[in-house]
Amino acid sequence: MIAALTGFAAVLLLCFIGLPLAFVSLVVGFVGFAWLRGWNWSGALATTGQQVMEAAANYGLSVIPLFLLMGIFIHRSHVSEDLFRAAYAAVGARRGGLAQASVLACAGFSAVSGSSLATAATMTRVAMPHMRRYGYDDRLSSGVVAAGGTLGIMIPPSVPLILYGLVAEQDIGKLFVAGMIPGLLLIAVYMGAVWLTVLRNPEIGPAGDPLSRAEKHAAYLRVWPILLLFGIVLGGIYFGIFTPTEAAGIGAGGAGLFALLRGGIRSFADLADMLIEATRTTAILFAVIFGTLVFANFINLSGLPYDLLDLIENLGLGPIGLVLAICVICVLLGMIFETIGLLLLIVPVFLPALYGMEIDLIWFGIIMVVVIELGLITPPIGMNVFTVKSVMPNIALGQIFLGVIPFVLADLVALALLLVFPIIAMGLVGLM
């Protein structure tokens, strides 16, 4: 256990001073292997190389670049304004409606991008000018887009859910299906948070101008290709028509065709630029995956997960107690690590304990994503908050953090419901 705790301390320290997690975890894992083998450096090198080769040969990883490419095609098609317009047509004419429209637009963009940061950045550019035009308070408007961006890691296709499935050896299709109802729940509690906030202080969220029936129909028609693509991808997975990897390929192909028809791809240079962006993002993600998997295997070899299992059994925490303890640890570590790194570091350590307690790992994956969402909007890191700040530098960081407080509370409500009623996540999975 001493080796494992020393390794964790080294990773925390090196990440805290700003070194990349991918290389920190790889180096610490490599040194850890050497330590456990009596400072046998050649053996550590062979073990590290084998771990990286096994991870690189994992066919399941091929789904990541395809879904990333799908999101890039959609992003370059300039559909974000259309999504906001359609959401505005649905709820914009009520008090607080523009903020609720931002939640719906974030959900729609998340469904095809899978990225929280991309969703927060894009919808800040689209929704904030509209809300400012109608006199919305900056705390509410910035808070709602920061929080709405977190929907990107719950609503499928979700990169964190994919990575969780690979690490925990769970069916990615089932994880996507399990995320659908919790995703809708999060949309509902966020819209409820807006409603309660505006109910207490009506002047911070005025109603927008109503649209005619023709204008509403026109707005809805502009987004039907996105809804169709989303339906094909998830519907195909749910009904067993194709695997998640095949769904990702179909989604990327459909998004590419959509981008071509919408003018997002005007030349081979545009296409090359999108492919390069997808490749660069994939390389960064894979570097984190390989490094953290090497570190996780060092932790497993040290015996720490099994020592934790014995400790948990001696404390008599029980399944729910274990899950709550992991949630608290994730919230604390979320102050240092970003989403992917936190997920890949925590899950392997606690897997033996989760297996020992016979906890459903599909349900636990959804719980993990909700907890990670909290980390994206809570201080001191709050990646989505800093993303909104980078797009709107004239808004004070403290104002944005104050603005996300109702949505942090909404996340806690959703988390409590998922803990008490697992059927929320598992209902559709049971019908597959």
Short mmCIF file of all heavy atoms in Angstrom, two decimals, residues 318-368:
data_model
loop_
_atom_site.label_atom_id
_atom_site.label_comp_id
_atom_site.label_asym_id
_atom_site.label_seq_id
_atom_site.Cartn_x
_atom_site.Cartn_y
_atom_site.Cartn_z
N GLY A 318 -21.39 -0.69 3.29
CA GLY A 318 -22.47 -1.15 2.43
C GLY A 318 -22.37 -0.53 1.05
O GLY A 318 -21.58 0.41 0.82
N PRO A 319 -23.16 -1.00 0.09
CA PRO A 319 -23.07 -0.51 -1.30
C PRO A 319 -23.29 0.99 -1.44
O PRO A 319 -22.51 1.68 -2.09
CB PRO A 319 -24.15 -1.32 -2.03
CG PRO A 319 -24.34 -2.55 -1.21
CD PRO A 319 -24.10 -2.13 0.21
N ILE A 320 -24.37 1.52 -0.83
CA ILE A 320 -24.66 2.94 -0.96
C ILE A 320 -23.59 3.78 -0.26
O ILE A 320 -23.15 4.82 -0.76
CB ILE A 320 -26.05 3.28 -0.40
CG1 ILE A 320 -27.14 2.59 -1.22
CG2 ILE A 320 -26.27 4.79 -0.40
CD1 ILE A 320 -27.19 3.04 -2.67
N GLY A 321 -23.12 3.31 0.88
CA GLY A 321 -22.06 4.02 1.59
C GLY A 321 -20.79 4.09 0.76
O GLY A 321 -20.10 5.12 0.74
N LEU A 322 -20.47 2.98 0.07
CA LEU A 322 -19.29 2.96 -0.80
C LEU A 322 -19.44 3.96 -1.94
O LEU A 322 -18.52 4.74 -2.24
CB LEU A 322 -19.08 1.55 -1.36
CG LEU A 322 -18.01 1.41 -2.44
CD1 LEU A 322 -16.64 1.85 -1.91
CD2 LEU A 322 -17.96 -0.02 -2.97
N VAL A 323 -20.60 3.97 -2.58
CA VAL A 323 -20.83 4.88 -3.70
C VAL A 323 -20.75 6.33 -3.23
O VAL A 323 -20.14 7.18 -3.90
CB VAL A 323 -22.20 4.59 -4.36
CG1 VAL A 323 -22.53 5.66 -5.41
CG2 VAL A 323 -22.18 3.21 -5.02
N LEU A 324 -21.33 6.63 -2.07
CA LEU A 324 -21.27 8.00 -1.55
C LEU A 324 -19.84 8.40 -1.22
O LEU A 324 -19.43 9.55 -1.47
CB LEU A 324 -22.15 8.12 -0.30
CG LEU A 324 -23.66 8.07 -0.53
CD1 LEU A 324 -24.40 8.08 0.81
CD2 LEU A 324 -24.12 9.25 -1.38
N ALA A 325 -19.06 7.46 -0.69
CA ALA A 325 -17.66 7.75 -0.37
C ALA A 325 -16.88 8.06 -1.65
O ALA A 325 -16.07 9.00 -1.68
CB ALA A 325 -17.03 6.57 0.36
N ILE A 326 -17.14 7.30 -2.70
CA ILE A 326 -16.46 7.55 -3.98
C ILE A 326 -16.88 8.91 -4.53
O ILE A 326 -16.06 9.65 -5.09
CB ILE A 326 -16.78 6.42 -4.99
CG1 ILE A 326 -16.21 5.09 -4.49
CG2 ILE A 326 -16.21 6.75 -6.37
CD1 ILE A 326 -16.60 3.90 -5.33
N CYS A 327 -18.16 9.25 -4.38
CA CYS A 327 -18.64 10.56 -4.86
C CYS A 327 -17.91 11.70 -4.15
O CYS A 327 -17.51 12.68 -4.79
CB CYS A 327 -20.15 10.67 -4.63
SG CYS A 327 -21.16 9.62 -5.70
N VAL A 328 -17.73 11.58 -2.84
CA VAL A 328 -17.04 12.62 -2.09
C VAL A 328 -15.59 12.73 -2.55
O VAL A 328 -15.06 13.84 -2.75
CB VAL A 328 -17.09 12.33 -0.58
CG1 VAL A 328 -16.20 13.29 0.20
CG2 VAL A 328 -18.53 12.42 -0.07
N ILE A 329 -14.94 11.59 -2.76
CA ILE A 329 -13.55 11.59 -3.23
C ILE A 329 -13.45 12.25 -4.60
O ILE A 329 -12.54 13.04 -4.87
CB ILE A 329 -13.00 10.15 -3.28
CG1 ILE A 329 -12.87 9.59 -1.86
CG2 ILE A 329 -11.67 10.10 -4.00
CD1 ILE A 329 -12.56 8.12 -1.80
N CYS A 330 -14.42 11.96 -5.47
CA CYS A 330 -14.41 12.54 -6.82
C CYS A 330 -14.58 14.06 -6.77
O CYS A 330 -13.94 14.79 -7.53
CB CYS A 330 -15.51 11.91 -7.67
SG CYS A 330 -15.15 10.23 -8.21
N VAL A 331 -15.45 14.53 -5.89
CA VAL A 331 -15.66 15.97 -5.77
C VAL A 331 -14.38 16.65 -5.30
O VAL A 331 -13.97 17.70 -5.82
CB VAL A 331 -16.82 16.27 -4.80
CG1 VAL A 331 -16.87 17.77 -4.48
CG2 VAL A 331 -18.14 15.82 -5.40
N LEU A 332 -13.68 16.03 -4.34
CA LEU A 332 -12.44 16.61 -3.82
C LEU A 332 -11.33 16.58 -4.89
O LEU A 332 -10.63 17.58 -5.09
CB LEU A 332 -11.98 15.86 -2.57
CG LEU A 332 -12.90 15.98 -1.35
CD1 LEU A 332 -12.41 15.10 -0.21
CD2 LEU A 332 -12.98 17.43 -0.89
N LEU A 333 -11.19 15.45 -5.58
CA LEU A 333 -10.15 15.33 -6.61
C LEU A 333 -10.49 16.17 -7.83
O LEU A 333 -9.61 16.54 -8.60
CB LEU A 333 -9.95 13.87 -7.02
CG LEU A 333 -9.30 12.97 -5.96
CD1 LEU A 333 -9.14 11.56 -6.50
CD2 LEU A 333 -7.94 13.51 -5.54
N GLY A 334 -11.79 16.48 -8.01
CA GLY A 334 -12.19 17.32 -9.12
C GLY A 334 -11.63 18.73 -9.03
O GLY A 334 -11.63 19.47 -10.02
N MET A 335 -11.11 19.09 -7.86
CA MET A 335 -10.46 20.39 -7.70
C MET A 335 -9.09 20.42 -8.38
O MET A 335 -8.52 21.49 -8.58
CB MET A 335 -10.32 20.74 -6.21
CG MET A 335 -11.63 20.85 -5.47
SD MET A 335 -11.37 21.21 -3.72
CE MET A 335 -13.06 21.25 -3.12
N ILE A 336 -8.56 19.23 -8.70
CA ILE A 336 -7.22 19.14 -9.27
C ILE A 336 -7.24 18.57 -10.68
O ILE A 336 -6.59 19.09 -11.59
CB ILE A 336 -6.31 18.28 -8.38
CG1 ILE A 336 -6.19 18.89 -6.98
CG2 ILE A 336 -4.92 18.11 -9.01
CD1 ILE A 336 -5.47 18.03 -5.99
N PHE A 337 -8.02 17.49 -10.88
CA PHE A 337 -8.00 16.78 -12.16
C PHE A 337 -9.15 17.22 -13.05
O PHE A 337 -10.24 17.56 -12.57
CB PHE A 337 -8.10 15.26 -11.93
CG PHE A 337 -6.91 14.67 -11.23
CD1 PHE A 337 -7.02 14.23 -9.92
CD2 PHE A 337 -5.69 14.58 -11.86
CE1 PHE A 337 -5.93 13.69 -9.27
CE2 PHE A 337 -4.59 14.04 -11.22
CZ PHE A 337 -4.71 13.61 -9.92
N GLU A 338 -8.92 17.14 -14.36
CA GLU A 338 -10.01 17.36 -15.30
C GLU A 338 -10.82 16.08 -15.44
O GLU A 338 -10.45 15.03 -14.91
CB GLU A 338 -9.46 17.86 -16.65
CG GLU A 338 -8.27 17.08 -17.19
CD GLU A 338 -8.68 15.77 -17.82
OE1 GLU A 338 -9.76 15.71 -18.43
OE2 GLU A 338 -7.92 14.81 -17.69
N THR A 339 -11.92 16.15 -16.19
CA THR A 339 -12.92 15.09 -16.22
C THR A 339 -12.36 13.73 -16.59
O THR A 339 -12.54 12.74 -15.86
CB THR A 339 -14.01 15.47 -17.24
OG1 THR A 339 -14.60 16.70 -16.84
CG2 THR A 339 -15.09 14.41 -17.30
N ILE A 340 -11.69 13.65 -17.74
CA ILE A 340 -11.22 12.35 -18.24
C ILE A 340 -10.19 11.74 -17.30
O ILE A 340 -10.26 10.55 -16.97
CB ILE A 340 -10.63 12.52 -19.66
CG1 ILE A 340 -11.67 13.09 -20.61
CG2 ILE A 340 -10.11 11.18 -20.16
CD1 ILE A 340 -12.90 12.25 -20.78
N GLY A 341 -9.25 12.56 -16.86
CA GLY A 341 -8.22 12.05 -15.96
C GLY A 341 -8.80 11.52 -14.66
O GLY A 341 -8.40 10.46 -14.17
N LEU A 342 -9.76 12.26 -14.09
CA LEU A 342 -10.39 11.83 -12.84
C LEU A 342 -11.09 10.49 -13.03
O LEU A 342 -10.95 9.58 -12.21
CB LEU A 342 -11.37 12.90 -12.38
CG LEU A 342 -12.20 12.58 -11.13
CD1 LEU A 342 -11.29 12.35 -9.94
CD2 LEU A 342 -13.18 13.70 -10.84
N LEU A 343 -11.83 10.37 -14.10
CA LEU A 343 -12.57 9.14 -14.37
C LEU A 343 -11.62 7.96 -14.50
O LEU A 343 -11.84 6.89 -13.92
CB LEU A 343 -13.38 9.31 -15.66
CG LEU A 343 -14.28 8.16 -16.08
CD1 LEU A 343 -15.45 8.03 -15.12
CD2 LEU A 343 -14.80 8.37 -17.49
N LEU A 344 -10.55 8.13 -15.26
CA LEU A 344 -9.63 7.03 -15.52
C LEU A 344 -8.76 6.68 -14.32
O LEU A 344 -8.27 5.55 -14.22
CB LEU A 344 -8.74 7.37 -16.72
CG LEU A 344 -9.47 7.49 -18.07
CD1 LEU A 344 -8.53 7.94 -19.16
CD2 LEU A 344 -10.11 6.16 -18.45
N LEU A 345 -8.57 7.63 -13.42
CA LEU A 345 -7.79 7.34 -12.21
C LEU A 345 -8.62 6.64 -11.14
O LEU A 345 -8.14 5.73 -10.46
CB LEU A 345 -7.20 8.63 -11.64
CG LEU A 345 -5.97 9.21 -12.36
CD1 LEU A 345 -5.63 10.57 -11.77
CD2 LEU A 345 -4.79 8.27 -12.27
N ILE A 346 -9.86 7.08 -10.98
CA ILE A 346 -10.67 6.61 -9.86
C ILE A 346 -11.28 5.23 -10.12
O ILE A 346 -11.25 4.34 -9.26
CB ILE A 346 -11.79 7.63 -9.56
CG1 ILE A 346 -11.20 8.88 -8.90
CG2 ILE A 346 -12.87 7.02 -8.66
CD1 ILE A 346 -10.60 8.61 -7.54
N VAL A 347 -11.85 5.04 -11.31
CA VAL A 347 -12.62 3.82 -11.56
C VAL A 347 -11.80 2.55 -11.37
O VAL A 347 -12.25 1.61 -10.68
CB VAL A 347 -13.26 3.87 -12.97
CG1 VAL A 347 -13.92 2.53 -13.31
CG2 VAL A 347 -14.30 4.98 -13.03
N PRO A 348 -10.58 2.42 -11.95
CA PRO A 348 -9.84 1.17 -11.76
C PRO A 348 -9.52 0.86 -10.30
O PRO A 348 -9.46 -0.31 -9.91
CB PRO A 348 -8.55 1.40 -12.57
CG PRO A 348 -8.88 2.46 -13.55
CD PRO A 348 -9.85 3.34 -12.85
N VAL A 349 -9.31 1.89 -9.49
CA VAL A 349 -8.95 1.67 -8.09
C VAL A 349 -10.10 1.04 -7.32
O VAL A 349 -9.90 0.14 -6.49
CB VAL A 349 -8.54 3.01 -7.43
CG1 VAL A 349 -8.33 2.83 -5.93
CG2 VAL A 349 -7.27 3.54 -8.08
N PHE A 350 -11.32 1.47 -7.62
CA PHE A 350 -12.47 1.00 -6.85
C PHE A 350 -13.23 -0.15 -7.50
O PHE A 350 -14.21 -0.65 -6.93
CB PHE A 350 -13.44 2.17 -6.59
CG PHE A 350 -12.96 3.13 -5.55
CD1 PHE A 350 -12.33 4.32 -5.91
CD2 PHE A 350 -13.11 2.85 -4.21
CE1 PHE A 350 -11.88 5.21 -4.96
CE2 PHE A 350 -12.66 3.74 -3.24
CZ PHE A 350 -12.04 4.92 -3.62
N LEU A 351 -12.82 -0.57 -8.69
CA LEU A 351 -13.54 -1.66 -9.36
C LEU A 351 -13.65 -2.93 -8.52
O LEU A 351 -14.74 -3.52 -8.42
CB LEU A 351 -12.90 -1.97 -10.71
CG LEU A 351 -13.47 -1.25 -11.93
CD1 LEU A 351 -12.75 -1.69 -13.20
CD2 LEU A 351 -14.97 -1.47 -12.07
N PRO A 352 -12.55 -3.42 -7.91
CA PRO A 352 -12.70 -4.63 -7.09
C PRO A 352 -13.71 -4.48 -5.97
O PRO A 352 -14.49 -5.40 -5.69
CB PRO A 352 -11.28 -4.86 -6.54
CG PRO A 352 -10.38 -4.21 -7.54
CD PRO A 352 -11.14 -3.00 -8.01
N ALA A 353 -13.73 -3.31 -5.32
CA ALA A 353 -14.71 -3.07 -4.25
C ALA A 353 -16.13 -3.04 -4.81
O ALA A 353 -17.06 -3.57 -4.19
CB ALA A 353 -14.40 -1.77 -3.53
N LEU A 354 -16.30 -2.44 -5.99
CA LEU A 354 -17.63 -2.38 -6.60
C LEU A 354 -18.11 -3.78 -6.98
O LEU A 354 -19.28 -4.12 -6.79
CB LEU A 354 -17.58 -1.49 -7.84
CG LEU A 354 -17.30 -0.01 -7.57
CD1 LEU A 354 -16.98 0.72 -8.87
CD2 LEU A 354 -18.49 0.66 -6.89
N TYR A 355 -17.19 -4.59 -7.52
CA TYR A 355 -17.54 -5.98 -7.82
C TYR A 355 -17.89 -6.74 -6.54
O TYR A 355 -18.86 -7.50 -6.49
CB TYR A 355 -16.38 -6.68 -8.52
CG TYR A 355 -16.27 -6.41 -10.00
CD1 TYR A 355 -15.12 -5.86 -10.55
CD2 TYR A 355 -17.33 -6.72 -10.87
CE1 TYR A 355 -15.01 -5.61 -11.91
CE2 TYR A 355 -17.22 -6.47 -12.23
CZ TYR A 355 -16.06 -5.92 -12.74
OH TYR A 355 -15.96 -5.67 -14.09
N GLY A 356 -17.07 -6.52 -5.50
CA GLY A 356 -17.29 -7.23 -4.25
C GLY A 356 -18.63 -6.90 -3.61
O GLY A 356 -19.26 -7.76 -2.98
N MET A 357 -19.08 -5.66 -3.78
CA MET A 357 -20.37 -5.24 -3.23
C MET A 357 -21.53 -5.53 -4.20
O MET A 357 -22.68 -5.20 -3.89
CB MET A 357 -20.34 -3.73 -2.93
CG MET A 357 -19.39 -3.34 -1.83
SD MET A 357 -20.05 -3.77 -0.21
CE MET A 357 -18.78 -3.08 0.86
N GLU A 358 -21.22 -6.10 -5.35
CA GLU A 358 -22.22 -6.45 -6.38
C GLU A 358 -23.04 -5.22 -6.81
O GLU A 358 -24.25 -5.28 -6.97
CB GLU A 358 -23.14 -7.56 -5.88
CG GLU A 358 -22.41 -8.86 -5.59
CD GLU A 358 -23.35 -9.98 -5.17
OE1 GLU A 358 -24.55 -9.70 -4.93
OE2 GLU A 358 -22.90 -11.14 -5.10
N ILE A 359 -22.34 -4.11 -6.98
CA ILE A 359 -22.97 -2.87 -7.44
C ILE A 359 -23.09 -2.91 -8.96
O ILE A 359 -22.13 -3.28 -9.65
CB ILE A 359 -22.15 -1.65 -6.99
CG1 ILE A 359 -22.22 -1.52 -5.47
CG2 ILE A 359 -22.66 -0.37 -7.66
CD1 ILE A 359 -21.30 -0.47 -4.89
N ASP A 360 -24.25 -2.56 -9.48
CA ASP A 360 -24.45 -2.54 -10.92
C ASP A 360 -23.56 -1.46 -11.53
O ASP A 360 -23.70 -0.27 -11.22
CB ASP A 360 -25.92 -2.25 -11.25
CG ASP A 360 -26.23 -2.44 -12.72
OD1 ASP A 360 -25.70 -1.66 -13.53
OD2 ASP A 360 -26.99 -3.36 -13.06
N LEU A 361 -22.64 -1.87 -12.41
CA LEU A 361 -21.65 -0.93 -12.93
C LEU A 361 -22.21 0.00 -14.00
O LEU A 361 -21.63 1.06 -14.26
CB LEU A 361 -20.45 -1.69 -13.46
CG LEU A 361 -19.63 -2.42 -12.38
CD1 LEU A 361 -18.45 -3.14 -13.01
CD2 LEU A 361 -19.15 -1.45 -11.32
N ILE A 362 -23.32 -0.36 -14.64
CA ILE A 362 -23.98 0.57 -15.56
C ILE A 362 -24.56 1.74 -14.77
O ILE A 362 -24.33 2.92 -15.09
CB ILE A 362 -25.08 -0.13 -16.37
CG1 ILE A 362 -24.52 -1.27 -17.23
CG2 ILE A 362 -25.84 0.89 -17.22
CD1 ILE A 362 -23.68 -0.80 -18.39
N TRP A 363 -25.28 1.43 -13.71
CA TRP A 363 -25.85 2.47 -12.84
C TRP A 363 -24.75 3.32 -12.23
O TRP A 363 -24.85 4.56 -12.20
CB TRP A 363 -26.69 1.80 -11.74
CG TRP A 363 -27.15 2.70 -10.64
CD1 TRP A 363 -28.14 3.63 -10.70
CD2 TRP A 363 -26.60 2.77 -9.31
NE1 TRP A 363 -28.26 4.27 -9.47
CE2 TRP A 363 -27.33 3.76 -8.61
CE3 TRP A 363 -25.59 2.08 -8.65
CZ2 TRP A 363 -27.08 4.08 -7.29
CZ3 TRP A 363 -25.31 2.40 -7.33
CH2 TRP A 363 -26.06 3.39 -6.67
N PHE A 364 -23.68 2.67 -11.76
CA PHE A 364 -22.59 3.42 -11.14
C PHE A 364 -21.93 4.37 -12.15
O PHE A 364 -21.51 5.47 -11.79
CB PHE A 364 -21.54 2.46 -10.57
CG PHE A 364 -20.35 3.14 -9.98
CD1 PHE A 364 -20.44 3.76 -8.74
CD2 PHE A 364 -19.14 3.19 -10.66
CE1 PHE A 364 -19.35 4.42 -8.19
CE2 PHE A 364 -18.05 3.83 -10.12
CZ PHE A 364 -18.14 4.45 -8.88
N GLY A 365 -21.84 3.95 -13.40
CA GLY A 365 -21.27 4.82 -14.43
C GLY A 365 -22.06 6.11 -14.58
O GLY A 365 -21.48 7.20 -14.75
N ILE A 366 -23.39 6.01 -14.53
CA ILE A 366 -24.22 7.21 -14.62
C ILE A 366 -24.01 8.10 -13.40
O ILE A 366 -23.92 9.34 -13.52
CB ILE A 366 -25.71 6.82 -14.75
CG1 ILE A 366 -25.93 5.93 -15.99
CG2 ILE A 366 -26.59 8.06 -14.81
CD1 ILE A 366 -25.52 6.57 -17.29
N ILE A 367 -23.91 7.50 -12.22
CA ILE A 367 -23.63 8.26 -11.01
C ILE A 367 -22.31 9.01 -11.14
O ILE A 367 -22.20 10.20 -10.80
CB ILE A 367 -23.60 7.34 -9.77
CG1 ILE A 367 -24.97 6.69 -9.53
CG2 ILE A 367 -23.14 8.11 -8.53
CD1 ILE A 367 -26.06 7.66 -9.18
N MET A 368 -21.30 8.33 -11.65
CA MET A 368 -19.98 8.95 -11.81
C MET A 368 -20.06 10.17 -12.72
O MET A 368 -19.43 11.21 -12.46
CB MET A 368 -18.99 7.94 -12.39
CG MET A 368 -18.42 6.97 -11.37
SD MET A 368 -17.31 7.78 -10.19
CE MET A 368 -15.95 8.26 -11.25
#
